[in-house]
Structures are given as structure tokens and as C-alpha cells.
Amino acid sequence: KQEVTQIPAALSVPEGENLVLNCSFTDSAIYNLQWFRQDPGKGLTSLLLIQSSQREQTSGRLNASLDKSSGRSTLYIAASQPGDSATYLCAVRAGYKLSFGAGTTVTVRA
Amino acid sequence: SAVISQKPSRDICQRGTSLTIQCQVDSQVTMMFWYRQQPGQSLTLIATANQGSEATYESGFVIDKFPISRPNLTFSTLTVSNMSPEDSSIYLCSVEASTGTGGGQYFGPGTRLTVT
């Protein structure tokens, strides 16, 4: 069974600081890995999708890396802003199923 | 990516009653998924719904409690039956992106259910 772990569980930083969010998974036989953002009480917004054959993906201030052999992914958010405050979820896909981590709750202080 | 809507966005229900949640997608999709997110927890897959066949339920979820319909390629419903306070959660539907986009999944805005 795939186990997905996200560290840290919570993070508070001053505005402008770079964010580093970690995700690890136990079974490296994945199809892809997806990072999501969730605002309180809301649905999930897809941020980045990395295929198993890729090493990283970038979108604006966001960059995600994937090391499939070691079962790790890292999401970097550059120059954080108060609007980045949310919970960030990592999900790995094997077959058609997504396995989610518990998330990292980020607070960016103005 | 697909645009997904859900109704209702939230509801407060009494124990013992049932609630049907609707999920509408703006394009035809083969697979639709229903997830539950209990307070303070991450997402758990309830079932996968394919058009024209019965839903496939994950361990711990049964059809009598969570009946699902999938009448066409753009619509699905999830019913939460005989509710108890433990069913208070956010329920989310998701779809797999169309082929050629790497198989990402995209989520609706969720239905926030409170059972009293």
C-alpha cells in the first residue's frame, strides 16, 4: 500500500521568504505526482503535475522536483506572499488511484 | 483542464436522513472519482464511477451507504445514506484529465456536509 508523508505539517514564514515543502512516498512505481493547493473548506486546485519520467516542473514562482528512485518530491515557492497561505497536498498516482499526503499548512505573515 | 461543479456547496442535515450530491463536468470524461475529506484529514477515495457500469468501491466503503449513479459521461451523483455525525466531511468529485495531458486529476469545489 502506498504511504505518502508530508513534512512539515505546518509552516509559518514572513512574506518574501522562499518555501520548501517535502513529500515522500514508499512505492516508487508511480505514474505521476501532483501538487495541489487547498484553501479552508474548499476544493483542490492543481498546481503542478510531474510525470514519472520527469525530474521537475515549473510554473511561475512554483517549482517541483521528483526523485522517483528515492521516493521524494519537493515543492519550492519563491518569494512567498500572504496569498500563498493555504494547505498544500501532494498526491501520487499508481494505476488510476491517487494517494494523498496529509498536507502542509502554510501561513505567510505580512 | 475540466471545469467541475458540485451541488450543493454545503448542507446541514439531520442524522438518519440522506443527501444526494451532484457533480457536473463541462466535457466528457471516462472516469469520475468521489473522495471524502474528514475534518483535519486528507482525502480518501470512496469509489470510482464509470459510465455504463457499477461503481467500484474502496475498502471500507459500501454501496448501501454511498450509492453512486453515472448516467452519462458528464454527470454523476453520490448519495450519503442514513447519515450520522461521523459522515460530516467535505465530499469531492474529481475527473481524470483528457488524454494527452499526462493523466492529472482535477477536482470540483466540494460539498461541505454537517450532520447534526
Side-chain angles (χ1 to χ4, degrees), chain A residues 9-25:
Chain A
L11 189 59
S12 179
V13 300
E15 182 176 5
E17 194 164 300
N18 296 333
L19 292 164
V20 180
L21 310 180
N22 297 298
C23 171
S24 62
F25 47 95

Side-chain angles (χ1 to χ4, degrees), chain A residues 4-110:
Chain A
V4 182
T5 303
Q6 290 188 245
I7 294 173
L11 189 59
S12 179
V13 300
E15 182 176 5
E17 194 164 300
N18 296 333
L19 292 164
V20 180
L21 310 180
N22 297 298
C23 171
S24 62
F25 47 95
T26 54
D27 186 348
S28 62
I30 66 170
Y31 182 69
N32 60 38
L33 183 146
Q34 214 166 344
W35 282 94
F36 294 90
R37 168 185 171 137
Q38 186 175 33
D39 293 291
K42 305 293 186 182
L44 276 63
T45 300
S46 180
L47 297 174
L48 289 168
L49 170 68
I50 312 176
Q51 300 303 320
S52 62
S53 59
Q54 296 177 319
R55 298 284 292 183
E56 67 175 346
Q57 278 287 345
T58 298
S59 176
R61 293 186 294 114
L62 277 59
N63 173 275
S65 66
L66 174 64
D67 184 341
K68 197 176 76 164
S69 61
S70 67
R72 295 182 182 181
S73 177
T74 302
L75 176 67
Y76 301 90
I77 303 176
S80 62
Q81 304 168 357
D84 294 329
S85 297
T87 296
Y88 292 82
L89 294 164
C90 160
V92 296
R93 178 178 167 181
Y96 60 85
K97 293 176 59 172
L98 286 183
S99 298
F100 282 85
T104 295
T105 299
V106 171
T107 302
V108 181
R109 308 186 303 273

